[in-house]
């Protein structure tokens, strides 16, 4: 059937099961936005108009991470498209499947420095799994279908589609094609085969599986390290839990692996690395076998690669061959999807136990937490846990509050912690919280942020209020850029250059200005009362928590040092 390109786009989104799009219109993309109104697609696909394109990018990312679906984001050309780049890079670093759709200037204006022209495909090439410039209307449907397939397949990630404006005026033949028929569709199948990324995850080598089982049988002190790859792999978490419980050995996690092993589990040692627990860091230093599943060995985990797991044989399980031996040299590796690898391991696993090893690992206790009249960070997280029954999805920005959230909130399921782990994006949290709540309307969503981070995204309160998205924002307000100040205190001789935030706004008044409830708390009792009120209201809220300016994240290992060289205990 004949239809205009914008209608083809909408029909393709419906083919993919898209129910929500986050975006911001502009001149070049108006034909697509007009289709929402002209053809009634707004009744089939919710469009959330954010306050800024970056907010839309993070919202689509938060939606994707919390639902396991592909997020979708729209923007216009030029500054609209470049405002997405931070969000695209954030999704890329954390392997989040988002399709970004932009519209550029027309073919006759390309390359002429036209108004709001930018080479967004060139700009985003290093931070996307794949990107496209659509010059012909007849290519549009198959490009969209391929983009979604690439975004969700293998190691997930963001894909960008840039469409020339003249294409959005054109009429083209369109035939509906359900997702399950894509691989058999001649032209699309050929495009998929030519795609720069292999869409078919290889079957793990069964010999490699047996070798790991033999290494486990020979080990006396094994440690399991879980990363975000287990969270991203559909169906991997149940297999992972079966694996480590049969192994019956200590389990540690990267920040992106939060929720793969329940935080309250008897085998869980906590997070590993720069702000890892004593038990985790001492365990990785003394284990004789490290089984790392779906992690990158980043510089926040393996701070000094030369000494990381120095007494162990290191086994790396990952879907992406390029990650093997990139940061840490391994003794054995298995390439494959985490779910399938774990499924095969579980078929050959026999029960184990390491009582002496576990007793030694768990003998490394953390410093007792303070309880007095001051509101401490751990009390904020413990209260959120208690009031929400541990059911809340937690989104964060980046800094001290991010580490406190990872340390003190016991995540019990995948997709419950949504944070910018790889790119470290300040301003990520509120957009991500909006997306998470849109994708999970029955779950409480709490944004944990700092006063510095919240300044970068607080304009999205307009979006929260307009669409009545009941996100509860908890601001850890220490009137400083806390993590930077912590480094300045410990490493830079207490020279606090440009980190004091001794200025506005009044966050409660800011919330009220947007028509949102607000509260200010200085004690645990005040915070508990405010949080209960916010949860019961079913409305968006902003709760400001007065935190000690010198509160620090404990423990801390300086960058580049062995993981047991604690600078701060």
């Amino acid at each position: 059937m004949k239809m205009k390109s914008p209608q083809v786009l909408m029909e393709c989104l419906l083919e993919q099961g898209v129910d929500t799009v986050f975006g911001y219109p502009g001149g070049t993309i108006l034909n697509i936005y007009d289709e929402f109104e002209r053809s009634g697609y707004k009744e089939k696909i919710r469009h959330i108009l954010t306050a800024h394109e970056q907010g839309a990018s993070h919202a689509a990312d938060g939606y994707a991470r919390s639902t396991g679906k592909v997020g979708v984001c729209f923007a216009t050309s030029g500054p609209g498209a470049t405002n997405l780049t931070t969000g695209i890079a954030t999704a890329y670093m954390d392997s989040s499947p988002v399709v970004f759709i932009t519209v550029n200037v027309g073919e006759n204006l390309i390359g002429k420095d036209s108004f709001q022209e930018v080479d967004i495909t060139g700009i985003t090439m290093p931070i996307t799994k794949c990107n496209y410039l659509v010059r012909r209307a007849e290519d549009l449907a198959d490009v969209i279908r391929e983009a979604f397939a690439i975004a969700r397949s293998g190691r997930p990630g963001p894909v960008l589609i840039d469409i020339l404006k003249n294409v959005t005026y054109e009429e083209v033949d369109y035939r509906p094609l359900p997702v399950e028929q894509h691989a058999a569709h001649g032209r699309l199948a050929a495009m998929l085969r030519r795609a720069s990324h292999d869409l078919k995850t290889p079957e793990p080598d069964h010999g490699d599986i047996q070798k790991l089982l033999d290494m486990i049988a020979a080990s006396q002190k094994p440690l399991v390290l879980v990363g975000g790859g287990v969270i991203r792999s559909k169906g991997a978490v149940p297999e992972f839990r079966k694996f480590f419980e049969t192994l019956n050995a200590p389990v540690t996690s990267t920040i992106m692996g939060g929720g793969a092993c329940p935080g309250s589990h008897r085998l869980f040692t906590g997070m590993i690395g720069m702000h890892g627990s004593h038990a985790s860091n001492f365990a990785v230093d003394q284990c004789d076998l490290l089984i790392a599943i779906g992690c990158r060995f980043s510089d926040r985990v393996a701070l000094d690669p030369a000494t990381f797991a120095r007494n162990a044989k290191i086994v790396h399980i990952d879907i992406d061959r390029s990650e093997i031996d990139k940061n840490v040299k391994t003794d054995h590796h298995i390439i494959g999807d985490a779910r399938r690898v774990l499924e095969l391991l579980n078929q050959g696993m026999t029960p184990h136990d390491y009582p002496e090893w576990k007793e030694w690992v768990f003998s490394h206790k953390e410093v007792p937490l303070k309880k007095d009249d001051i509101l401490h960070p751990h009390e904020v997280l413990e209260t959120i846990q208690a009031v929400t029954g541990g059911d809340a999805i937690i989104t964060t920005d980046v800094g001290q509050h991010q580490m406190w959230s990872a340390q003190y909130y016991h995540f019990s399921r995948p997709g419950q912690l949504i944070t910018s782990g790889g790119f470290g994006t300040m301003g990520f949290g509120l957009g991500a919280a909006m997306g998470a709540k849109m994708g999970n309307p029955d779950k409480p969503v709490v944004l944990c942020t700092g006063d510095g981070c919240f300044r970068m995204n607080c304009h999205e309160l307009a979006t929260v209020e307009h669409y009545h998205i009941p996100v509860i924002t908890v601001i850890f307000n220490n009137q400083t850029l806390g993590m930077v100040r912590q480094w300045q205190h410990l490493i830079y001789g207490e020279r606090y250059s440009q980190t004091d935030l001794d200025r506005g706004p009044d966050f409660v008044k800011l919330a009220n200005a947007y028509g949102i409830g607000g509260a200010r708390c200085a004690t645990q009792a005040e915070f508990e009362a405010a949080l209960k009120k916010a949860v019961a209201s079913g409305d968006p809220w902003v709760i400001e928590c007065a935190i000690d300016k010198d509160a620090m994240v404990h423990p801390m290992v300086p960058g580049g040092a062995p993981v047991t060289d604690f600078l701060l205990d």
Side-chain angles (χ1 to χ4, degrees):
M1 69 185 81
K2 288 281 188 182
M3 59 175 63
K4 288 285 185 68
S5 293
Q7 193 173 355
V8 170
L9 170 61
M10 296 299 177
E11 290 295 330
C12 287
L13 294 182
L14 291 173
E15 276 182 11
Q16 299 292 332
V18 173
D19 57 21
T20 306
V21 169
F22 304 88
Y24 204 96
T28 61
I29 200 173
L30 280 181
N31 285 340
I32 290 174
Y33 271 90
D34 187 57
E35 203 62 39
F36 273 108
E37 298 292 331
R38 192 174 64 83
S39 301
Y41 286 102
K42 66 179 181 180
E43 308 301 328
K44 301 175 183 178
I45 301 174
R46 294 176 296 185
H47 183 281
I48 305 300
L49 173 63
T50 56
H52 191 283
E53 290 92 351
Q54 185 176 330
S57 70
H58 295 323
D61 189 353
Y63 178 93
R65 297 188 198 213
S66 64
T67 63
K69 301 176 184 177
V70 177
V72 180
C73 181
F74 285 178
T76 194
S77 63
T82 57
N83 279 346
L84 297 178
T85 54
T86 297
I88 296 171
T90 302
Y92 183 74
M93 288 290 282
D94 291 342
S95 303
S96 182
V98 184
V99 171
F100 295 89
I101 298 173
T102 58
V103 178
N104 215 319
V105 299
E107 183 81 62
N108 62 320
L109 296 176
I110 286 286
K112 298 181 179 180
D113 293 331
S114 305
F115 179 67
Q116 294 191 334
E117 178 196 356
V118 73
D119 178 12
I120 194 62
T121 54
I123 290 170
T124 60
M125 190 174 293
I127 54 172
T128 53
K129 241 184 125 174
C130 187
N131 65 25
Y132 303 85
L133 178 61
V134 181
R135 293 177 176 268
R136 304 191 316 159
E138 54 265 39
D139 295 334
L140 181 59
D142 284 345
V143 164
I144 293 168
R145 291 160 178 159
E146 182 181 349
F148 273 83
I150 290 174
R152 69 165 67 94
S153 67
R155 180 178 181 174
V159 176
L160 180 130
I161 303 170
D162 193 35
I163 307 167
L164 295 188
K165 185 175 181 180
N166 55 281
V167 170
T168 68
Y169 287 100
E170 295 175 14
E171 194 172 65
V172 68
D173 283 318
Y174 168 77
R175 181 169 70 87
L177 190 67
V179 172
E180 58 270 17
Q181 296 179 20
H182 286 184
H185 179 55
R187 181 181 177 190
L188 178 61
M191 289 178 72
L192 294 177
R193 284 194 298 270
R194 289 196 305 271
S196 58
H197 293 265
D198 184 8
L199 300 180
K200 185 171 172 28
T201 304
E203 173 73 0
D205 185 288
H206 289 229
D208 289 340
I209 298 290
Q210 185 57 52
K211 181 176 179 180
L212 175 52
L213 291 171
D214 293 341
M215 294 172 78
I216 290 171
S219 172
Q220 300 296 314
K221 298 186 291 184
L223 177 67
V224 179
L225 169 59
V226 60
V230 172
I231 300 294
R232 294 284 177 268
S233 173
K234 217 165 261 188
V237 169
E239 293 291 342
F240 173 68
R241 293 182 181 181
K242 181 180 179 182
F243 170 74
F244 76 72
E245 286 176 350
T246 305
L247 182 62
N248 203 9
V251 180
T252 185
S253 169
T254 69
I255 191 169
M256 297 307 300
C261 176
S264 58
H265 198 283
R266 63 182 177 83
L267 293 172
F268 190 55
T269 62
M271 191 168 62
I272 196 171
M274 179 173 285
H275 296 291
S277 69
H278 291 84
S280 296
N281 285 12
F282 280 115
V284 78
D285 190 60
Q286 291 300 313
C287 67
D288 64 8
L289 176 65
L290 177 64
I291 306 170
I293 310 172
C295 73
R296 299 183 296 111
F297 294 116
S298 78
D299 58 305
R300 287 299 190 265
V301 171
L303 292 89
D304 176 19
T307 61
F308 185 74
R310 52 187 153 191
N311 297 300
K313 292 188 180 300
I314 300 175
V315 179
H316 192 180
I317 299 169
D318 207 280
I319 198 169
D320 187 350
R321 185 178 293 275
S322 70
E323 292 294 345
I324 305 300
D325 295 331
K326 184 175 81 174
N327 295 325
V328 170
K329 296 298 180 184
T330 61
D331 298 279
H332 181 48
H333 63 262
I334 302 174
I335 306 297
D337 177 73
R339 183 201 58 78
R340 181 59 178 150
V341 172
L342 289 162
E343 186 180 63
L344 291 172
L345 286 170
N346 285 334
Q347 290 173 8
M349 280 286 288
T350 56
H352 295 267
D353 194 14
Y354 309 89
E356 293 180 2
W357 167 234
K358 287 185 290 188
E359 182 180 1
W360 183 85
V361 169
F362 288 103
S363 70
H364 295 87
K365 303 294 185 183
E366 302 307 307
V367 176
L369 301 174
K370 292 181 180 179
K371 293 278 186 180
D372 51 36
D373 292 336
I374 299 173
L375 181 58
H376 295 284
H378 67 87
E379 292 178 314
V380 175
L381 275 306
E382 290 164 356
T383 302
I384 296 172
Q385 182 102 32
V387 171
T388 65
D391 196 37
I393 294 172
I394 304 294
T395 72
T396 82
D397 280 299
V398 173
Q400 288 180 315
H401 67 272
Q402 179 190 33
M403 296 296 106
W404 289 324
S405 298
Q407 290 174 331
Y408 300 129
Y409 192 95
H410 297 312
F411 300 98
S412 61
R413 63 180 187 273
Q416 196 176 10
L417 171 61
I418 300 175
T419 189
S420 175
F423 205 47
T425 305
M426 293 177 72
F428 170 76
L430 186 51
M434 296 189 304
K437 187 63 181 178
M438 295 301 293
N440 301 266
D442 298 330
K443 294 291 184 185
V445 176
V446 178
L447 163 63
C448 292
T449 185
D451 48 325
C453 287
F454 191 59
R455 284 174 167 83
M456 294 191 176
N457 62 17
C458 60
H459 47 264
E460 293 300 343
L461 289 177
T463 313
V464 167
E465 188 280 329
H466 178 75
Y467 293 100
H468 196 264
I469 307 173
V471 169
I472 299 172
T473 297
V474 177
I475 304 170
F476 291 69
N477 189 356
N478 50 11
Q479 297 189 315
T480 187
L481 296 175
M483 187 60 85
V484 185
R485 179 184 173 87
Q486 179 166 329
W487 281 58
Q488 289 173 332
H489 177 83
L490 295 170
I491 301 172
Y492 290 90
E494 299 185 7
R495 293 181 294 277
Y496 301 119
S497 175
Q498 306 305 315
T499 46
D500 283 346
L501 299 178
D502 48 355
R503 63 205 70 181
D506 180 318
F507 291 114
V508 174
K509 288 182 178 178
L510 179 67
N512 295 161
Y514 282 105
I516 293 173
R520 186 174 290 108
C521 309
T523 67
Q524 191 274 335
E526 291 176 352
F527 176 64
E528 182 176 356
L531 183 60
K532 285 180 176 177
K533 184 177 180 180
V535 170
S537 73
D539 296 324
W541 267 74
V542 173
I543 305 174
E544 179 185 357
C545 297
I547 300 296
D548 183 1
K549 194 169 191 173
D550 291 314
M552 295 194 190
V553 180
H554 300 255
M556 177 179 174
V557 179
V563 292
T564 54
D565 286 6
F566 291 101
L567 178 64
L568 182 64
D569 272 331

